[in-house]
Amino acid sequence: MRFDVVTLFPELFVPFLSVGITRRAFESGQVDVHLSNPREFASGNYRRVDDRPFGGGPGMVMMAQPLEQTLVHIRAQRHDTAPVVLFSPIGQRLDHAQVQRWSAGSGAILLCGRYEGIDQRFIDTQVNQQISLGDFVLSGGEVPAMALLDAVARLQPGVLSDADSHAMDSFNPALDGLLDCPHYTRPEEWAGQRVPEVLLSGNHAHIERWRRDQRLKLTAQYRPDLLEKARTAGLLTEQDEAVLAQNI
Ligand code: 9D3
């Protein structure tokens, strides 16, 4: 798959693409990321990419022309009709289901906004979808674009050391949409706190039941909305309900 990122700050992506478990996916081209800077496609001696808003008001607006020229350049390289995704606070919030769809697709053109926004005429004619990271204000779309690329890259086959360990992620349908259980590693006692004995027992049935119980309790405590979803979807057993009833 190929992702073209349109950003005024391509240098932000360079360290991101070269570290961690996702590095191999990016460096091998399994997730092929190309960076384009609209400033290179802006006209005039000053290569302006932003201007003052018509009608007045604070901040600057990204101009349509440099963005359009950037798209022309990208479209000439990609022989497809990849969708243009704008990261924007008004977009639909990114979730695991969306990430799974992107990770099974052939890529997209990811547009990172800066300043107060982008000329609406460009959005109306060129943008297919808007994605938000949540209801808080960032200074641009670069961090959301990296979030999407990171989430997509780690779902690629062979990226995680244990080929199936993302089957164990919170939000993965394989865990019935419950939060993940707590994890422990050596030493068995740290700062006066022991690891739960069941995890040292070697009894895998007990361990799995304990982990399921922890997932249920954590989800009830932190994300009752997710628990209700799992219940409505018929994913909770009588034993699950009994565990939940014990600890209210
Ligand atoms: C004063 C109105 N602001 C909207 C809340 C203007 C504005 C603020 C921040 C316009 C753009 C931005 C930059 N944000 C993003 O580009 C962005 C974003 C975000 O701020 N929050 C969550 N997800 C995203 S995706 C892109």
Side-chain angles (χ1 to χ4, degrees):
M1 66 180 63
R2 170 170 170 160
F3 285 96
D4 283 274
V5 181
V6 179
T7 171
L8 291 170
F9 301 104
E11 67 275 18
L12 283 177
F13 289 80
V14 174
F16 162 72
L17 295 170
S18 54
V19 301
I21 56 160
T22 51
R23 170 184 163 176
R24 196 179 293 276
F26 294 128
E27 289 187 346
S28 71
Q30 192 179 9
V31 179
D32 192 15
V33 178
H34 291 248
L35 304 168
S36 299
N37 188 343
R39 196 168 299 277
E40 292 182 21
F41 301 92
S43 51
N45 281 341
Y46 296 99
R47 297 201 172 275
R48 285 193 79 130
V49 292
D50 63 318
D51 209 333
R52 290 171 301 166
F54 279 123
M60 300 294 271
V61 177
M62 288 178 78
M63 298 162 71
Q65 180 270 336
L67 295 173
E68 158 78 354
Q69 287 309 302
T70 310
L71 273 193
V72 166
H73 173 79
I74 291 168
R75 295 268 187 221
Q77 293 181 6
R78 302 183 63 117
H79 305 288
D80 61 11
T81 55
V84 176
V85 176
L86 171 62
F87 292 98
S88 155
I90 74 162
Q92 195 187 20
R93 198 159 72 190
L94 189 62
D95 62 14
H96 184 71
Q98 260 197 88
V99 167
Q100 276 187 317
R101 277 197 294 279
W102 288 115
S103 70
S106 53
I109 300 169
L110 307 181
L111 177 52
C112 306
R114 279 271 157 173
Y115 315 120
E116 279 307 295
I118 292 175
D119 191 309
Q120 189 61 37
R121 294 167 296 185
F122 180 84
I123 298 174
D124 291 342
T125 56
Q126 307 296 332
V127 170
N128 300 108
Q129 191 184 337
Q130 302 192 44
I131 295 179
S132 166
L133 226 49
D135 294 339
F136 52 94
V137 182
L138 294 165
S139 51
E142 283 79 7
V143 166
M146 284 187 254
L148 176 79
L149 290 169
D150 183 68
V152 164
R154 63 186 292 288
L155 287 187
Q156 298 306 304
V159 169
L160 299 188
S161 48
D162 175 7
D164 244 1
S165 77
H166 56 70
M168 304 300 267
D169 286 353
S170 292
F171 312 114
N172 192 301
L175 282 188
D176 298 337
L178 302 176
L179 299 181
D180 198 6
C181 59
H183 303 280
Y184 299 88
T185 188
R186 292 192 299 173
E188 286 181 18
E189 185 177 323
W190 174 78
Q193 304 171 86
R194 284 197 56 77
V195 169
E197 290 302 326
V198 61
L199 298 178
L200 309 174
S201 70
N203 184 327
H204 291 289
H206 285 178
I207 291 169
E208 274 323 296
R209 186 64 242 173
W210 181 85
R211 286 181 169 159
R212 177 83 178 177
D213 294 352
Q214 294 295 314
R215 285 175 195 129
L216 291 163
K217 290 174 195 174
L218 279 172
T219 310
Q221 185 181 350
Y222 292 107
R223 294 293 304 273
D225 58 316
L226 294 179
L227 188 70
E228 200 43 47
K229 247 188 181 171
R231 184 174 280 132
T232 306
L235 298 171
L236 303 188
T237 66
E238 275 179 38
Q239 196 175 4
D240 290 341
E241 294 291 3
V243 167
L244 287 166
Q246 276 168 26
N247 287 284
I248 291 175

